[in-house]
Amino acid sequence: MDILRAEIARKRKLLEEKQLLNSNKKYFKRGELLAKEKEEYFQKFGEREEQAETTSSGSCVTSTDVTSEHSILPRPEVIRRLRERCEPILLFGETENEAFRRLRQCEITEPEINRGFRNDFQEAMEQVDQAYLDEILTSHGAESSSSREKTSAEDFSEDDSVTWEAIQEMAKRLGRGNKDHDMNVITSLLQYVLKLWNNNLNECSPAERMSTKMKIARATFTQTRVYMKPLFRKLKNKTLPEDILDSLTDIARALLERNYIAASDAYLQMAIGNAPWPIGVTMVGIHARTGREKIFSKNVAHVLNDETQRKYIQGLKRLMTKCQEFFPTNPSRCVEYVSKKDQVE
């Protein structure tokens, strides 16, 4: 009862302050109370709200200007990208420009959305088919062929002075503490193998190019080239982690010596490691696990770190296989040796 009386007294005092009660009025409407509160609020904070509205309108104008400065994608392209991200193509009351800005915001905040669910090899096959169709539809075959070779060779140097002998000469100082030189040697070797692979694919006749075997080979090359881009970028910017650089140095030295078994051992050491618990189970209680000192970055499986690292490690293995094919050696130093006469055409 006391609580009810206190509540009634509080409301009466509030109404007296709002000047809603007078001698001729014994009751009031809740809408009148809300209107009075709104009026006092605007009188007290009106200037701040106007400034906020001005600022927000200015930011809207700025964002609109920024959007107008950049080329807006066509509506079908915006719809396709939104559907790839499982986003609605148009929200209620949303304009096409606002949908484009929403797409850009999604691409900035979540650039790698749904990347793990794509079939990269099927996408590479579609690119190969599209390139061949473009070549057929183009009237000038020579121009299309030159443009195709330029496109496929965009990820490795066109310098003809880089030969196998020159890379072997550079590799004499490999692994002596000069990390920049080591990265340059590794880059030159991998790009040279990619170039040989590309030239080998371009030597086939137009009739062979549409065979299933050549389409798969071209798609594998295209996929490998895309996978190796992050590694080449790290080598160029000199930002490759030290543990991966040590393993790549051992692999490059073994490849140049044509000891492909040693190269495979170094690759397995880098890819899956030999740590007792490669995922990182080290502390499960108050006592350290036995052999915990054996777990460090060089022994951990790098293929488990992230998807980008897994892809260029897989691409590296393909280049090692092609290097063994282009530069054969004794069968005792090869991995899964198969002679050319025994290969099924």
Side-chain angles (χ1 to χ4, degrees):
M1 193 67 180
D2 294 338
I3 297 175
L4 182 60
R5 288 177 181 176
E7 184 68 18
I8 294 173
R10 187 184 66 81
K11 289 185 177 180
R12 183 178 295 275
K13 183 177 180 181
L14 179 63
L15 292 176
E16 289 176 355
E17 291 178 356
K18 303 295 183 182
Q19 296 180 358
L20 289 176
L21 293 177
N22 50 34
S23 58
N24 299 327
K25 198 169 184 180
K26 296 183 180 180
Y27 62 91
F28 66 95
K29 295 181 180 179
R30 184 170 181 81
E32 296 176 356
L33 176 62
L34 294 177
K36 188 66 178 178
E37 290 178 353
K38 187 176 181 180
E39 181 182 353
E40 290 186 356
Y41 179 82
F42 281 144
Q43 289 178 358
K44 187 175 182 181
F45 301 102
E47 296 180 358
R48 296 180 183 179
E49 281 198 351
E50 290 177 359
Q51 293 177 359
E53 290 178 358
T54 306
T55 306
S56 63
S57 62
S59 64
C60 290
V61 172
T62 305
S63 62
T64 306
D65 294 341
V66 171
T67 306
S68 60
E69 288 178 359
H70 299 282
S71 58
I72 299 179
L73 293 175
R75 181 60 184 167
E77 180 67 16
V78 175
I79 293 175
R80 185 186 66 82
R81 293 191 182 186
L82 286 173
R83 283 177 175 168
E84 284 182 354
R85 294 175 171 270
C86 300
E87 292 284 339
I89 60 175
L90 199 67
L91 297 175
F92 180 76
E94 188 180 41
T95 63
E96 293 184 357
N97 289 338
E98 291 173 348
F100 171 72
R101 288 198 294 269
R102 178 163 58 88
L103 171 64
R104 295 297 301 157
Q105 184 68 23
C106 291
E107 290 178 345
I108 292 173
T109 55
E110 299 178 354
E112 296 293 331
I113 191 68
N114 289 338
R115 291 290 184 178
F117 299 98
R118 299 185 308 158
N119 191 338
D120 295 335
F121 188 77
Q122 183 65 30
E123 184 178 351
M125 289 284 289
E126 293 175 357
Q127 292 179 3
V128 171
D129 292 339
Q130 187 63 36
Y132 185 74
L133 289 176
D134 293 342
E135 182 179 355
I136 293 176
L137 295 176
T138 305
S139 58
H140 302 287
E143 294 180 1
S144 64
S145 178
S146 62
S147 62
R148 176 176 54 83
E149 292 178 1
K150 182 179 179 181
T151 303
S152 59
E154 60 184 358
D155 296 322
F156 40 83
S157 60
E158 293 290 339
D159 190 6
D160 295 333
S161 62
V162 179
T163 60
W164 183 260
E165 290 76 14
I167 298 175
Q168 285 181 328
E169 185 67 25
M170 293 170 58
K172 290 181 178 179
R173 294 183 289 110
L174 189 65
R176 296 186 179 180
N178 190 351
K179 296 181 180 179
D180 293 345
H181 177 74
D182 295 347
M183 292 186 187
N184 292 334
V185 174
I186 295 170
T187 305
S188 301
L189 175 61
L190 297 181
Q191 288 181 347
Y192 182 73
V193 176
L194 264 180
K195 182 179 179 181
L196 291 180
W197 192 359
N198 178 61
N199 295 337
N200 188 22
L201 292 175
N202 290 334
E203 290 176 356
C204 63
S205 61
E208 297 176 351
R209 196 172 300 160
M210 276 309 293
S211 63
T212 305
K213 181 179 178 181
M214 290 306 300
K215 285 173 62 176
I216 293 176
R218 172 60 68 177
T220 305
F221 169 77
T222 304
Q223 186 185 35
T224 305
R225 187 186 62 191
V226 175
Y227 282 3
M228 295 299 293
K229 279 185 178 181
L231 179 60
F232 286 144
R233 192 179 302 115
K234 290 179 180 294
L235 289 170
K236 180 179 179 181
N237 298 330
K238 305 297 186 293
T239 58
L240 192 67
E242 185 175 355
D243 49 348
I244 298 181
L245 177 60
D246 294 340
S247 299
L248 285 179
T249 303
D250 296 338
I251 292 173
R253 183 185 295 109
L255 289 178
L256 291 171
E257 294 175 356
R258 302 191 183 186
N259 189 354
Y260 300 111
I261 292 182
S264 179
D265 293 341
Y267 170 80
L268 292 176
Q269 179 77 14
M270 177 184 65
I272 63 176
N274 58 356
W277 304 282
I279 298 178
V281 181
T282 58
M283 298 290 289
V284 294
I286 60 175
H287 301 291
R289 298 292 295 266
T290 304
R292 181 174 180 270
E293 64 276 1
K294 297 180 181 179
I295 304 177
F296 51 93
S297 59
K298 192 172 178 60
N299 290 337
V300 172
H302 293 92
V303 76
L304 299 176
N305 289 349
D306 54 60
E307 190 69 9
T308 302
Q309 201 168 69
R310 180 197 67 79
K311 286 181 178 180
Y312 69 68
I313 288 177
Q314 180 182 358
L316 177 64
K317 178 57 178 175
R318 292 177 179 175
L319 292 182
M320 292 169 58
T321 304
K322 286 296 175 182
C323 185
Q324 177 177 323
E325 179 183 339
F326 296 144
F327 303 99
T329 183
N330 298 330
S332 60
R333 306 177 73 186
C334 292
V335 179
E336 297 179 359
Y337 175 78
V338 179
S339 61
K340 291 186 177 180
K341 64 179 181 180
D342 295 335
Q343 293 178 359
V344 179
E345 296 296 337

